[in-house]
Each structure stands twice: as structure tokens, then as C-alpha cells.
Amino acid sequence: MDVILEAIRQPFMQRAFVIAILIGIITAWLGVYVILRGMAFVGAGIAHASFGGIAIGLFSGLPPLFTAGVFTILIALGISKLFESSKLREDTAVGISFAASMAFGMLLLSFTSGYQGEILGYLFGSILAITPVDLWLTLILGILIIVILLGFSKEWRALTFDPEFTAVQGFPISWLNHLFLVLVALTVLLAVKMVGVIMLSALLVIPSATALLFTRNFRSLECWSVGIGGGVSMVGLLLSLLWNIPPGATIVIMATILFFVVWLTKNKRK
């Protein structure tokens, strides 16, 4: 406890806790719609596609998070347009974009020297290396995402549960789908430093999947998902500090353990 209290007094740990809880809440909240719309692979694909944007930053000397943000948003919009304008299934469009982006990133990195240490931070997360600029960027974008989620909650729910009826009612389905994928891309940008590209999709899926095991209505699903997302992020960061293990991996493992505990408990009761 003394070790934890001493660490929490450090500014870098305070920044890490604020970002971990905020990102845990946002990814879990957005993950509710990802799960219910059957878009788990879409979230994973956009997360992995951000690798191409990170590679552009490392290759060009521009801030990798900036290039990753622009690149990931373009990929998200490209997936949406490709799905709308062709007979391809959404998962096929994601698979093409995902593979092409990863290959493009690896190609660029082959011409870049001295990136190995930095790229590992983006692949697996480096939340303890968060700077004050990263903190403010996360707070601003995080609040923006939350405002959009609240402002379009009626449209998101209608699109999730009955897209045909939503279209008949005159809602701009195409525009809403584009906006949703842009939110996923922005969330990927926020979370990439916390858990990394490889494990990021877990935060979009596992908290909501856990809450879905025992909730019976949409409102409680949202509340429980947000609570689980923020809770496992905080506990995972504390345990990583106590045992000196990678924070991103610890957060994902904690979320996974909780999922299986809930799943086993539910099956035992049945």
C-alpha cells in the first residue's frame, strides 16, 4: 500500500489513472453499440489499421498520434463507403483495409531506422509515458466523444435495434454510420497509448460482452459496461504498479478474467 500511495503522488501516475479510467469508460460505452450491431471485427480492424498511420508518422517525422488519427479516420470512412457502394460484406471490407494498412505500415517501417523501441510502445501500450499534452488531448477528444454519444443516443439506439424502421423514419443512415465509425477511429486514437494497437479491440468488446451476460435492458447494459470498463482499467493499472508488469496487458487480462468469472457463475446458476 505504501508503494501504491507513493506512486500515486507522482504526476505521471496521476495522468495514467485519469486516462485509464476515461478511456475505459469511453471504449466500454462505445463497445455497447459495437457488440449489439455485431461490429466487433470492425473495431478490431480499425484498431489494427491505425498501425499504418503510426508508421507514416515515424517515417515522416510527424507526430505519430496525429498521423494515426487522420489515417484511421480515413480508413473508417473508406470501410463505410466500400460497404455501401459495393456488394461486399462489412467484414470483407474491414479485412481488406486491415491487411492493406498493416502491410503499408510494415513497408514504411522497413525504410525507417531507430524506430524499434517507439513502435513497441504503440503496439503494446505505454500508459506510464503519457505526457501532459497527451492528457489534455485525451480529455478534449474524450469529452467530444461523450457529447456525441449523448447527443445522438436516440439515433444510435434506433440504428442498433431496427435499422429498417430507422431508414423509413427518414434518419440519415449513411451519415450516422460514417459518424459511428469516425467515433471508433477517435477512440482508437485515444486508447492506443494505453493498451496498444494489438490489444485495443479487447477494451471495445470485453466490458460490454461481460455486462451483456447479466443485464436485461439497454440502460443497465450501458451503465454496467461503463462501470466495468472504468473499473478494470483502474484495477489493472494498480496491479501492474504493484507487481511491476505491463499495464495494458494487465488491464486486458483483468477484463478477460472478469468475463469468464461472470460467464461461469451464470452457467452454474442455470
Side-chain angles (χ1 to χ4, degrees):
M1 183 60 68
D2 291 337
V3 172
I4 292 176
L5 291 176
E6 180 61 31
I8 291 177
R9 295 190 185 100
Q10 305 301 319
F12 76 94
M13 279 304 302
Q14 294 170 2
R15 292 194 294 268
F17 273 104
V18 170
I19 285 183
I21 295 172
L22 179 62
I23 292 177
I25 289 172
I26 292 174
T27 52
W29 194 351
L30 195 63
V32 171
Y33 298 100
V34 169
I35 286 289
L36 293 179
R37 296 182 64 184
M39 298 177 67
F41 184 60
V42 175
I46 292 176
H48 284 75
S50 65
F51 178 76
I54 292 169
I56 292 174
L58 295 174
F59 177 78
S60 64
L62 295 171
L65 286 182
F66 171 76
T67 56
V70 174
F71 185 82
T72 308
I73 289 173
L74 291 176
I75 288 294
L77 292 174
I79 290 171
S80 185
K81 292 297 292 184
L82 187 62
F83 173 63
E84 284 184 356
S85 59
S86 68
K87 296 181 179 179
L88 292 176
R89 288 169 51 90
E90 198 168 53
D91 56 349
T92 305
V94 172
I96 294 171
S97 304
F98 166 27
S101 300
M102 292 290 289
F104 175 68
M106 291 302 300
L107 184 64
L108 280 184
L109 290 179
S110 69
F111 297 105
T112 308
S113 59
Y115 68 85
Q116 287 81 0
E118 193 171 357
I119 197 63
L120 285 176
Y122 290 110
L123 287 175
F124 300 102
S126 56
I127 192 172
L128 298 183
I130 294 294
T131 65
V133 174
D134 294 328
L135 175 62
W136 283 109
L137 175 65
T138 303
L139 289 174
I140 293 170
L141 288 181
I143 292 172
L144 175 63
I145 293 171
I146 290 173
V147 168
I148 294 175
L149 283 172
L150 288 172
F152 289 90
S153 60
K154 180 178 67 176
E155 288 83 357
W156 298 139
R157 294 181 190 182
L159 191 59
T160 298
F161 292 107
D162 199 340
E164 291 80 10
F165 177 76
T166 305
V168 170
Q169 291 298 307
F171 286 99
I173 300 297
S174 177
W175 187 85
L176 287 171
N177 281 325
H178 293 343
L179 180 60
F180 181 77
L181 289 181
V182 168
L183 288 184
V184 174
L186 289 175
T187 303
V188 165
L189 172 64
L190 295 183
V192 70
K193 267 203 166 184
M194 178 169 143
V195 294
V197 169
I198 293 177
M199 293 180 288
L200 198 155
S201 57
L203 289 184
L204 281 171
V205 174
I206 297 177
S208 302
T210 304
L212 199 60
L213 291 175
F214 58 85
T215 52
R216 294 182 177 273
N217 62 73
F218 187 82
R219 177 61 65 187
S220 62
L221 175 61
E222 281 187 314
C223 294
W224 276 105
S225 296
V226 166
I228 291 171
V232 296
S233 297
M234 183 179 65
V235 173
L237 187 55
L238 281 172
L239 291 179
S240 71
L241 175 65
L242 185 61
W243 296 333
N244 194 26
I245 52 180
T250 308
I251 291 169
V252 173
I253 290 297
M254 288 300 301
T256 306
I257 290 173
L258 180 61
F259 172 82
F260 281 107
V261 167
V262 174
W263 178 69
L264 290 172
T265 302
K266 181 180 178 182
N267 283 349
K268 185 177 180 181
R269 287 180 178 177
K270 283 186 178 180

